[in-house]
Coordinates of all heavy atoms in Angstrom, one line a residue:
M21 N 0.8 -1.2 0.0 CA 0.0 0.0 0.0 C 0.9 1.3 0.0 O 0.7 2.2 -0.8 CB -0.9 0.0 1.2 CG -1.9 1.1 1.3 SD -3.2 0.7 2.5 CE -3.5 2.3 3.1
F22 N 1.8 1.4 0.9 CA 2.7 2.5 1.0 C 4.1 2.1 0.8 O 5.0 2.2 1.7 CB 2.6 3.2 2.3 CG 1.2 3.8 2.6 CD1 0.3 3.2 3.5 CD2 0.8 5.0 1.9 CE1 -0.9 3.8 3.7 CE2 -0.4 5.5 2.1 CZ -1.3 4.9 3.0
A23 N 4.5 1.5 -0.4 CA 5.8 1.0 -0.6 C 6.8 2.1 -0.5 O 6.6 3.2 -1.0 CB 5.9 0.3 -1.9
R24 N 8.0 1.8 0.0 CA 9.0 2.8 0.2 C 10.2 2.6 -0.7 O 11.2 3.4 -0.7 CB 9.5 2.9 1.6 CG 8.5 3.5 2.5 CD 8.3 4.9 2.2 NE 7.1 5.4 2.8 CZ 6.4 6.5 2.4 NH1 6.8 7.1 1.3 NH2 5.4 6.9 3.0
A25 N 10.2 1.6 -1.5 CA 11.3 1.4 -2.5 C 10.9 1.8 -3.9 O 9.7 1.7 -4.2 CB 11.7 -0.1 -2.5
R26 N 11.8 2.3 -4.6 CA 11.5 2.7 -6.0 C 11.6 1.5 -6.9 O 12.3 0.6 -6.6 CB 12.5 3.8 -6.4 CG 12.3 5.1 -5.6 CD 13.4 6.1 -6.0 NE 14.7 5.7 -5.6 CZ 15.3 5.8 -4.4 NH1 14.7 6.5 -3.5 NH2 16.5 5.4 -4.1
N27 N 11.0 1.6 -8.1 CA 11.0 0.5 -9.0 C 12.4 0.1 -9.5 O 12.7 -1.0 -9.8 CB 10.2 0.8 -10.3 CG 8.7 0.8 -10.0 OD1 8.3 0.2 -9.0 ND2 7.9 1.6 -10.7
N28 N 13.3 1.1 -9.5 CA 14.7 0.8 -10.0 C 15.7 0.5 -8.9 O 16.9 0.4 -9.1 CB 15.2 2.0 -10.8 CG 15.3 3.3 -10.1 OD1 14.7 3.4 -9.0 ND2 15.9 4.3 -10.7
D29 N 15.2 0.4 -7.6 CA 16.0 0.1 -6.5 C 16.4 -1.4 -6.5 O 15.7 -2.2 -7.1 CB 15.3 0.3 -5.2 CG 15.3 1.8 -4.8 OD1 16.1 2.6 -5.4 OD2 14.6 2.1 -3.8
P30 N 17.6 -1.8 -5.9 CA 17.9 -3.2 -5.9 C 16.9 -4.0 -5.1 O 16.2 -3.5 -4.3 CB 19.3 -3.2 -5.1 CG 19.7 -1.8 -5.1 CD 18.5 -0.9 -5.3
T31 N 16.9 -5.3 -5.4 CA 15.9 -6.2 -4.8 C 16.0 -6.1 -3.3 O 15.0 -6.2 -2.6 CB 16.2 -7.6 -5.3 OG1 16.1 -7.6 -6.7 CG2 15.2 -8.6 -4.7
T32 N 17.3 -6.0 -2.8 CA 17.4 -6.0 -1.3 C 16.8 -4.8 -0.7 O 16.2 -4.9 0.4 CB 18.9 -6.0 -0.9 OG1 19.6 -4.9 -1.6 CG2 19.6 -7.3 -1.3
S33 N 16.8 -3.6 -1.4 CA 16.1 -2.4 -0.9 C 14.6 -2.7 -0.9 O 13.9 -2.2 0.0 CB 16.4 -1.2 -1.7 OG 17.8 -0.9 -1.6
M34 N 14.1 -3.3 -1.9 CA 12.6 -3.6 -2.0 C 12.2 -4.5 -0.9 O 11.2 -4.4 -0.2 CB 12.3 -4.2 -3.4 CG 12.4 -3.2 -4.5 SD 11.9 -3.9 -6.0 CE 12.4 -2.6 -7.1
E35 N 13.0 -5.5 -0.6 CA 12.7 -6.5 0.5 C 12.8 -5.8 1.8 O 11.9 -6.0 2.7 CB 13.7 -7.7 0.4 CG 13.5 -8.6 -0.7 CD 14.7 -9.6 -0.9 OE1 15.7 -9.5 -0.1 OE2 14.6 -10.4 -1.8
A36 N 13.7 -4.9 2.0 CA 13.8 -4.2 3.3 C 12.6 -3.3 3.5 O 12.1 -3.2 4.6 CB 15.1 -3.4 3.3
A37 N 12.2 -2.6 2.4 CA 11.1 -1.7 2.5 C 9.8 -2.5 2.8 O 9.0 -2.0 3.6 CB 10.9 -0.9 1.2
A38 N 9.7 -3.7 2.3 CA 8.5 -4.5 2.5 C 8.5 -5.1 3.9 O 7.4 -5.4 4.5 CB 8.4 -5.6 1.5
S39 N 9.6 -5.2 4.6 CA 9.7 -5.8 5.9 C 9.5 -4.8 7.1 O 9.5 -5.1 8.2 CB 11.0 -6.5 6.1 OG 12.1 -5.6 6.2
I40 N 9.4 -3.5 6.7 CA 9.3 -2.4 7.8 C 8.0 -2.6 8.5 O 7.0 -2.7 7.9 CB 9.4 -1.0 7.1 CG1 10.8 -0.8 6.5 CG2 9.1 0.0 8.2 CD1 11.0 0.4 5.8
P41 N 8.1 -2.7 9.8 CA 6.9 -2.9 10.6 C 6.1 -1.6 10.8 O 6.0 -1.0 11.8 CB 7.4 -3.4 11.9 CG 8.8 -2.7 12.1 CD 9.3 -2.6 10.6
K42 N 5.5 -1.1 9.7 CA 4.8 0.2 9.7 C 3.7 0.3 10.7 O 3.5 1.3 11.3 CB 4.4 0.7 8.3 CG 3.3 -0.2 7.7 CD 3.0 0.3 6.3 CE 2.2 -0.6 5.6 NZ 2.1 -0.3 4.2
E43 N 3.0 -0.8 10.9 CA 1.9 -0.8 11.8 C 2.4 -0.6 13.2 O 1.7 0.1 14.0 CB 1.0 -2.1 11.7 CG 0.2 -2.2 10.5 CD 1.0 -2.7 9.3 OE1 2.2 -3.1 9.4 OE2 0.5 -2.6 8.2
M44 N 3.6 -1.1 13.5 CA 4.2 -0.9 14.9 C 4.6 0.6 15.0 O 4.3 1.2 16.0 CB 5.4 -1.8 15.1 CG 5.9 -1.7 16.5 SD 7.1 -3.0 16.9 CE 8.4 -2.7 15.8
H45 N 5.1 1.1 13.9 CA 5.4 2.6 14.0 C 4.2 3.4 14.1 O 4.2 4.4 14.9 CB 6.2 3.0 12.7 CG 7.6 2.4 12.6 ND1 8.4 2.6 11.5 CD2 8.3 1.7 13.5 CE1 9.5 2.0 11.8 NE2 9.5 1.4 13.0
Y46 N 3.1 3.1 13.4 CA 1.9 3.8 13.6 C 1.4 3.8 15.0 O 1.1 4.9 15.6 CB 0.7 3.1 12.8 CG 0.8 3.2 11.3 CD1 -0.1 2.4 10.5 CD2 1.7 4.0 10.6 CE1 -0.1 2.4 9.2 CE2 1.7 4.0 9.2 CZ 0.8 3.2 8.5 OH 0.8 3.2 7.1
D47 N 1.5 2.7 15.7 CA 1.1 2.6 17.1 C 1.9 3.4 18.0 O 1.4 4.1 18.8 CB 1.1 1.1 17.5 CG 0.6 0.9 18.9 OD1 -0.6 1.3 19.2 OD2 1.3 0.4 19.8
I48 N 3.2 3.4 17.8 CA 4.1 4.2 18.6 C 3.9 5.7 18.4 O 3.9 6.4 19.4 CB 5.6 3.8 18.3 CG1 5.9 2.4 18.7 CG2 6.6 4.8 18.9 CD1 7.2 1.8 18.2
I49 N 3.7 6.1 17.2 CA 3.5 7.5 16.9 C 2.2 8.0 17.5 O 2.1 9.0 18.2 CB 3.5 7.8 15.4 CG1 5.0 7.6 14.9 CG2 3.0 9.2 15.1 CD1 5.1 7.5 13.3
L50 N 1.1 7.2 17.3 CA -0.2 7.5 17.9 C -0.2 7.6 19.4 O -0.7 8.5 20.0 CB -1.3 6.6 17.4 CG -1.6 6.6 15.9 CD1 -2.5 5.5 15.5 CD2 -2.3 8.0 15.6
R51 N 0.5 6.6 20.0 CA 0.6 6.6 21.5 C 1.4 7.9 22.0 O 1.1 8.4 23.0 CB 1.3 5.4 22.0 CG 0.4 4.1 21.9 CD 1.2 2.9 22.3 NE 0.4 1.7 22.1 CZ -0.3 1.1 23.0 NH1 -0.4 1.6 24.2 NH2 -1.0 0.0 22.7
T52 N 2.4 8.2 21.3 CA 3.2 9.4 21.6 C 2.4 10.7 21.5 O 2.4 11.5 22.5 CB 4.5 9.5 20.7 OG1 5.3 8.3 20.9 CG2 5.3 10.7 21.1
L53 N 1.6 10.8 20.5 CA 0.8 12.0 20.4 C -0.3 12.0 21.4 O -0.7 13.1 21.9 CB 0.2 12.1 18.9 CG 1.2 12.4 17.8 CD1 0.5 12.3 16.5 CD2 1.8 13.8 18.0
Y54 N -0.9 10.8 21.7 CA -1.9 10.8 22.8 C -1.3 11.2 24.2 O -1.9 11.9 25.0 CB -2.5 9.4 23.0 CG -3.6 9.1 22.1 CD1 -3.6 8.1 21.1 CD2 -4.8 9.8 22.1 CE1 -4.6 7.8 20.3 CE2 -5.9 9.6 21.3 CZ -5.8 8.5 20.4 OH -6.8 8.3 19.5
S55 N 0.0 10.8 24.4 CA 0.6 11.0 25.7 C 1.1 12.5 25.8 O 1.1 13.1 26.9 CB 1.8 10.1 25.9 OG 1.4 8.8 26.0
Y56 N 1.7 13.0 24.7 CA 2.4 14.3 24.8 C 1.6 15.4 24.1 O 2.1 16.6 24.3 CB 3.8 14.2 24.2 CG 4.7 13.3 25.1 CD1 4.8 11.9 24.7 CD2 5.4 13.8 26.2 CE1 5.6 11.1 25.5 CE2 6.2 12.9 26.9 CZ 6.3 11.6 26.6 OH 7.1 10.8 27.3
G57 N 0.6 15.1 23.4 CA -0.1 16.2 22.7 C 0.6 16.5 21.3 O 1.4 15.7 20.9
A58 N 0.2 17.6 20.7 CA 0.7 17.9 19.4 C 2.2 18.1 19.4 O 2.8 18.8 20.3 CB 0.0 19.2 18.9
L59 N 2.9 17.5 18.4 CA 4.4 17.6 18.3 C 4.8 17.7 16.8 O 4.0 17.2 16.0 CB 5.0 16.4 18.9 CG 4.9 16.1 20.4 CD1 5.3 14.7 20.8 CD2 5.7 17.1 21.2
G60 N 6.0 18.1 16.6 CA 6.6 18.0 15.3 C 7.3 16.7 15.1 O 7.3 15.9 16.1
K61 N 7.8 16.4 14.0 CA 8.5 15.2 13.7 C 9.6 14.9 14.7 O 9.6 13.7 15.2 CB 9.1 15.2 12.3 CG 10.1 14.1 11.9 CD 10.8 14.4 10.7 CE 11.5 15.7 10.6 NZ 12.8 15.8 11.3
D62 N 10.4 15.8 15.0 CA 11.5 15.6 15.9 C 11.1 15.4 17.3 O 11.6 14.6 18.1 CB 12.5 16.7 15.8 CG 13.4 16.7 14.5 OD1 13.3 15.7 13.8 OD2 14.1 17.7 14.3
G63 N 10.0 16.1 17.7 CA 9.4 15.9 19.0 C 8.9 14.5 19.2 O 9.0 13.8 20.2
I64 N 8.2 14.0 18.1 CA 7.6 12.6 18.2 C 8.8 11.7 18.3 O 8.7 10.7 19.1 CB 6.8 12.4 16.9 CG1 5.5 13.3 16.9 CG2 6.4 10.9 16.8 CD1 4.8 13.3 15.6
A65 N 9.8 11.9 17.5 CA 11.0 11.0 17.5 C 11.6 10.9 18.9 O 11.9 9.9 19.4 CB 12.0 11.4 16.4
R66 N 11.8 12.1 19.5 CA 12.5 12.2 20.8 C 11.7 11.5 21.9 O 12.3 10.8 22.7 CB 12.6 13.7 21.1 CG 13.5 14.0 22.3 CD 13.8 15.5 22.5 NE 12.7 16.4 22.2 CZ 12.6 17.1 21.1 NH1 13.5 17.0 20.1 NH2 11.6 17.9 20.9
H67 N 10.4 11.6 21.9 CA 9.6 11.0 22.9 C 9.2 9.6 22.6 O 8.9 8.8 23.6 CB 8.3 11.8 23.1 CG 8.4 13.2 23.7 ND1 8.9 13.4 24.9 CD2 8.2 14.4 23.1 CE1 9.0 14.7 25.2 NE2 8.6 15.3 24.1
S68 N 9.3 9.1 21.4 CA 8.9 7.8 21.0 C 10.1 6.8 21.0 O 9.9 5.6 21.1 CB 8.2 7.8 19.7 OG 9.1 8.0 18.6
G69 N 11.3 7.3 20.7 CA 12.4 6.4 20.5 C 12.6 6.0 19.1 O 13.6 5.3 18.8
L70 N 11.8 6.5 18.2 CA 11.9 6.2 16.8 C 12.9 7.2 16.2 O 13.1 8.3 16.8 CB 10.6 6.4 16.0 CG 9.5 5.3 16.3 CD1 8.2 5.7 15.6 CD2 10.0 3.9 15.9
R71 N 13.5 6.9 15.1 CA 14.4 7.9 14.4 C 13.5 8.9 13.7 O 12.4 8.6 13.2 CB 15.3 7.2 13.4 CG 16.3 6.3 14.0 CD 17.3 5.8 13.0 NE 16.7 5.4 11.7 CZ 16.3 4.2 11.4 NH1 16.5 3.2 12.2 NH2 15.8 4.0 10.2
P72 N 14.0 10.1 13.5 CA 13.1 11.1 12.7 C 12.7 10.6 11.4 O 11.6 10.9 10.9 CB 14.1 12.3 12.7 CG 14.9 12.2 13.9 CD 15.2 10.8 14.0
D73 N 13.6 9.9 10.6 CA 13.2 9.5 9.3 C 12.1 8.4 9.4 O 11.3 8.3 8.5 CB 14.4 8.9 8.5 CG 15.0 7.7 9.1 OD1 15.6 7.8 10.2 OD2 14.9 6.6 8.5
Q74 N 12.1 7.6 10.4 CA 11.0 6.6 10.6 C 9.7 7.3 10.9 O 8.6 6.9 10.4 CB 11.3 5.7 11.8 CG 12.5 4.8 11.5 CD 12.8 4.0 12.8 OE1 13.0 4.5 13.8 NE2 13.0 2.7 12.6
V75 N 9.7 8.5 11.6 CA 8.5 9.2 11.9 C 8.0 9.9 10.6 O 6.8 9.8 10.3 CB 8.8 10.2 13.0 CG1 7.6 11.1 13.2 CG2 9.1 9.5 14.3
W76 N 8.8 10.7 9.9 CA 8.3 11.5 8.8 C 7.7 10.6 7.7 O 6.8 11.0 7.0 CB 9.3 12.5 8.3 CG 10.5 12.0 7.5 CD1 11.7 11.9 7.9 CD2 10.4 11.7 6.1 NE1 12.5 11.4 6.9 CE2 11.8 11.3 5.7 CE3 9.5 11.6 5.1 CZ2 12.1 10.9 4.4 CZ3 9.8 11.2 3.8 CH2 11.1 10.8 3.5
R77 N 8.3 9.4 7.6 CA 7.7 8.5 6.5 C 6.3 8.1 6.9 O 5.5 7.7 6.0 CB 8.6 7.3 6.4 CG 9.9 7.6 5.7 CD 10.7 6.3 5.5 NE 11.9 6.7 4.7 CZ 13.0 6.0 4.9 NH1 13.2 5.0 5.7 NH2 14.1 6.4 4.1
R78 N 6.0 8.0 8.1 CA 4.7 7.5 8.6 C 3.6 8.6 8.7 O 2.4 8.4 8.7 CB 4.8 6.8 9.9 CG 5.7 5.6 9.8 CD 5.3 4.6 8.8 NE 6.3 3.5 8.7 CZ 6.6 3.0 7.5 NH1 6.1 3.4 6.4 NH2 7.5 2.0 7.5
L79 N 4.1 9.9 8.9 CA 3.1 11.0 9.1 C 2.1 11.2 8.0 O 0.9 11.3 8.3 CB 3.9 12.3 9.4 CG 4.7 12.3 10.7 CD1 5.5 13.7 10.8 CD2 3.8 12.1 11.9
S80 N 2.6 11.2 6.8 CA 1.6 11.4 5.7 C 0.7 10.2 5.5 O -0.5 10.3 5.2 CB 2.3 11.7 4.4 OG 3.1 10.6 3.9
E81 N 1.2 9.0 5.8 CA 0.4 7.8 5.8 C -0.7 7.8 6.8 O -1.9 7.5 6.6 CB 1.2 6.5 6.0 CG 2.2 6.3 4.9 CD 3.3 5.2 5.2 OE1 3.1 4.6 6.3 OE2 4.2 5.0 4.4
L82 N -0.3 8.2 8.1 CA -1.3 8.3 9.1 C -2.4 9.4 8.8 O -3.5 9.3 9.2 CB -0.6 8.6 10.5 CG 0.1 7.4 11.1 CD1 1.0 7.9 12.2 CD2 -0.9 6.4 11.6
N83 N -1.9 10.5 8.2 CA -2.8 11.6 7.8 C -3.8 11.1 6.7 O -5.0 11.3 6.8 CB -2.0 12.7 7.2 CG -2.8 14.0 6.9 OD1 -3.8 14.2 7.6 ND2 -2.4 14.7 5.9
K84 N -3.3 10.3 5.7 CA -4.2 9.7 4.7 C -5.2 8.8 5.3 O -6.3 8.6 4.8 CB -3.4 9.0 3.6 CG -2.6 9.9 2.7 CD -1.8 9.2 1.7 CE -0.9 10.1 0.9 NZ 0.0 9.4 0.0
L85 N -4.9 8.1 6.4 CA -5.8 7.2 7.1 C -6.7 8.0 8.1 O -7.5 7.4 8.8 CB -5.0 6.2 7.9 CG -4.2 5.2 7.0 CD1 -3.2 4.4 7.9 CD2 -5.1 4.3 6.2
N86 N -6.6 9.3 8.1 CA -7.4 10.2 9.0 C -7.2 9.9 10.4 O -8.2 10.0 11.2 CB -8.9 10.1 8.6 CG -9.2 10.8 7.3 OD1 -8.6 11.8 6.9 ND2 -10.0 10.2 6.5
L87 N -6.0 9.5 10.8 CA -5.7 9.3 12.2 C -5.0 10.4 12.9 O -5.1 10.6 14.1 CB -4.8 8.0 12.3 CG -5.5 6.7 11.9 CD1 -4.6 5.5 11.9 CD2 -6.7 6.4 12.8
I88 N -4.2 11.2 12.1 CA -3.6 12.4 12.6 C -3.8 13.5 11.5 O -4.2 13.2 10.4 CB -2.1 12.2 12.8 CG1 -1.3 11.9 11.5 CG2 -1.8 11.1 13.9 CD1 0.2 12.0 11.7
R89 N -3.5 14.7 12.0 CA -3.7 15.9 11.1 C -2.7 16.9 11.4 O -2.2 17.0 12.6 CB -5.1 16.5 11.2 CG -5.3 17.0 12.6 CD -6.6 17.8 12.8 NE -6.8 18.2 14.1 CZ -6.3 19.3 14.7 NH1 -5.5 20.0 14.0 NH2 -6.5 19.6 15.9
P90 N -2.3 17.8 10.4 CA -1.4 18.9 10.8 C -2.2 19.9 11.5 O -3.4 20.1 11.2 CB -0.9 19.4 9.4 CG -1.9 18.9 8.4 CD -2.5 17.6 9.0
T91 N -1.7 20.6 12.5 CA -2.4 21.6 13.3 C -2.4 22.9 12.6 O -3.2 23.8 13.0 CB -1.7 21.7 14.7 OG1 -0.4 22.3 14.5 CG2 -1.7 20.5 15.5
G92 N -1.5 23.1 11.7 CA -1.4 24.4 11.1 C -0.3 25.3 11.7 O 0.0 26.4 11.3
N93 N 0.2 24.8 12.8 CA 1.3 25.4 13.6 C 2.7 24.9 13.1 O 2.8 23.7 12.7 CB 1.2 25.2 15.1 CG -0.1 25.8 15.6 OD1 -0.5 26.8 15.2 ND2 -0.6 25.1 16.6
L94 N 3.7 25.8 13.2 CA 5.0 25.3 12.9 C 5.8 25.3 14.2 O 5.6 26.2 15.1 CB 5.7 26.3 12.0 CG 5.1 26.4 10.5 CD1 5.9 27.4 9.7 CD2 5.2 25.0 9.8
V95 N 6.6 24.3 14.4 CA 7.4 24.2 15.6 C 8.9 24.0 15.2 O 9.1 23.7 14.0 CB 7.0 23.0 16.5 CG1 5.6 23.2 17.1 CG2 7.1 21.7 15.7
K96 N 9.8 24.3 16.1 CA 11.2 24.1 15.7 C 11.7 22.7 15.7 O 11.4 22.0 16.7 CB 12.1 25.0 16.7 CG 11.9 26.5 16.5 CD 12.4 27.0 15.2 CE 12.2 28.5 15.1 NZ 12.4 29.0 13.8
S97 N 12.4 22.3 14.7 CA 13.0 21.0 14.7 C 14.2 21.0 15.6 O 14.7 22.0 16.1 CB 13.4 20.6 13.3 OG 14.5 21.4 12.8
D98 N 14.8 19.8 15.7 CA 16.1 19.8 16.5 C 17.2 20.6 15.9 O 18.1 21.0 16.5 CB 16.5 18.3 16.7 CG 15.6 17.5 17.6 OD1 14.8 18.2 18.3 OD2 15.7 16.3 17.7
A99 N 17.1 20.8 14.6 CA 18.1 21.6 13.8 C 17.8 23.1 13.9 O 18.5 23.9 13.3 CB 18.2 21.1 12.4
G100 N 16.6 23.4 14.5 CA 16.3 24.8 14.6 C 15.4 25.3 13.4 O 15.2 26.5 13.3
R101 N 15.0 24.4 12.5 CA 14.2 24.8 11.4 C 12.7 24.6 11.7 O 12.4 23.8 12.6 CB 14.6 23.9 10.2 CG 16.0 24.2 9.7 CD 16.2 23.4 8.4 NE 17.6 23.6 8.0 CZ 18.5 22.7 7.9 NH1 18.2 21.4 8.1 NH2 19.7 22.9 7.5
N102 N 11.9 25.3 11.0 CA 10.4 25.1 11.2 C 10.0 23.8 10.6 O 10.4 23.4 9.5 CB 9.7 26.2 10.5 CG 9.8 27.5 11.2 OD1 9.9 27.6 12.4 ND2 9.7 28.6 10.5
E103 N 9.1 23.1 11.3 CA 8.5 21.9 10.8 C 7.0 21.9 11.3 O 6.7 22.5 12.2 CB 9.2 20.6 11.3 CG 9.2 20.4 12.8 CD 9.9 19.1 13.2 OE1 10.8 18.6 12.4 OE2 9.7 18.6 14.3
Q104 N 6.3 21.1 10.5 CA 4.8 21.0 10.8 C 4.6 20.3 12.1 O 5.2 19.4 12.5 CB 4.2 20.2 9.6 CG 2.7 20.0 9.8 CD 1.9 21.3 9.6 OE1 2.1 22.0 8.7 NE2 1.2 21.6 10.7
E105 N 3.6 20.8 12.8 CA 3.1 20.2 14.1 C 2.0 19.3 13.7 O 1.1 19.6 12.9 CB 2.7 21.3 15.1 CG 2.3 20.7 16.4 CD 1.8 21.8 17.3 OE1 0.8 22.5 17.0 OE2 2.4 22.0 18.4
W106 N 1.9 18.1 14.4 CA 0.9 17.1 14.1 C 0.2 16.8 15.4 O 0.7 16.8 16.5 CB 1.5 15.8 13.6 CG 2.2 16.0 12.3 CD1 3.5 16.4 12.0 CD2 1.6 15.8 11.0 NE1 3.7 16.5 10.7 CE2 2.6 16.2 10.0 CE3 0.4 15.4 10.6 CZ2 2.4 16.1 8.7 CZ3 0.1 15.3 9.2 CH2 1.1 15.6 8.3
D107 N -1.1 16.4 15.2 CA -1.9 16.0 16.4 C -2.9 14.9 16.0 O -3.1 14.7 14.8 CB -2.7 17.2 16.9 CG -3.2 17.0 18.4 OD1 -2.8 16.0 19.0 OD2 -3.8 17.9 18.9
I108 N -3.5 14.2 17.0 CA -4.5 13.2 16.7 C -5.7 13.8 16.0 O -6.1 14.9 16.4 CB -4.9 12.5 18.1 CG1 -3.7 11.9 18.8 CG2 -6.0 11.6 17.9 CD1 -3.1 10.8 18.0
Y109 N -6.2 13.2 15.0 CA -7.3 13.7 14.3 C -8.5 13.8 15.2 O -8.9 12.8 15.9 CB -7.7 12.8 13.1 CG -8.7 13.4 12.2 CD1 -8.4 14.3 11.2 CD2 -10.0 13.0 12.2 CE1 -9.3 14.9 10.4 CE2 -11.0 13.5 11.4 CZ -10.6 14.4 10.5 OH -11.5 15.0 9.6
G110 N -9.1 15.0 15.3 CA -10.3 15.1 16.1 C -10.1 15.7 17.5 O -11.0 16.1 18.1
D111 N -8.8 15.6 17.9 CA -8.5 16.2 19.3 C -8.4 17.7 19.2 O -8.1 18.3 18.3 CB -7.2 15.6 19.8 CG -7.4 14.2 20.5 OD1 -8.6 13.8 20.4 OD2 -6.5 13.7 21.0

């Protein structure tokens, strides 16, 4: 459904992308947002134990599933740049 390997990637990359436990990441991200409230990608990563790249790959997927939404606010990333803040859909 949300494959992360490109068509021209090596077979090993495609296999690795297929084995990513995205549902587990979904659960961790949702629990983090429930526990801490609205956060940016780096805030979610910091509180959840996931890497920032693991978080940002799942944010748009969770948004498409209507589980989270952007708040419209920008927060500072760990690098000091603006990033989108996310929250549980409907909260």
Side-chain angles (χ1 to χ4, degrees):
M21 183 166 146
F22 295 106
R24 289 291 166 208
R26 295 173 296 271
N27 289 335
N28 60 347
D29 281 348
T31 303
T32 53
S33 294
M34 292 182 188
E35 290 170 356
S39 71
I40 294 172
K42 65 183 170 192
E43 289 79 12
M44 187 167 65
H45 289 175
Y46 291 170
D47 184 58
I48 292 168
I49 292 167
L50 291 171
R51 286 176 188 265
T52 301
L53 289 173
Y54 275 120
S55 296
Y56 294 95
L59 295 166
K61 165 192 58 77
D62 286 348
I64 295 169
R66 188 171 38 261
H67 291 295
S68 69
L70 295 173
R71 295 187 319 264
D73 65 291
Q74 291 173 313
V75 173
W76 74 257
R77 287 183 176 150
R78 303 297 175 224
L79 293 176
S80 65
E81 296 170 4
L82 288 165
N83 187 33
K84 287 177 185 174
L85 294 169
N86 291 320
L87 296 172
I88 66 170
R89 63 174 177 79
T91 66
N93 297 325
L94 296 176
V95 295
K96 293 293 182 188
S97 71
D98 289 347
R101 297 187 181 117
N102 287 331
E103 66 180 19
Q104 182 65 57
E105 182 182 60
W106 296 86
D107 202 1
I108 301 295
Y109 188 80
D111 277 4

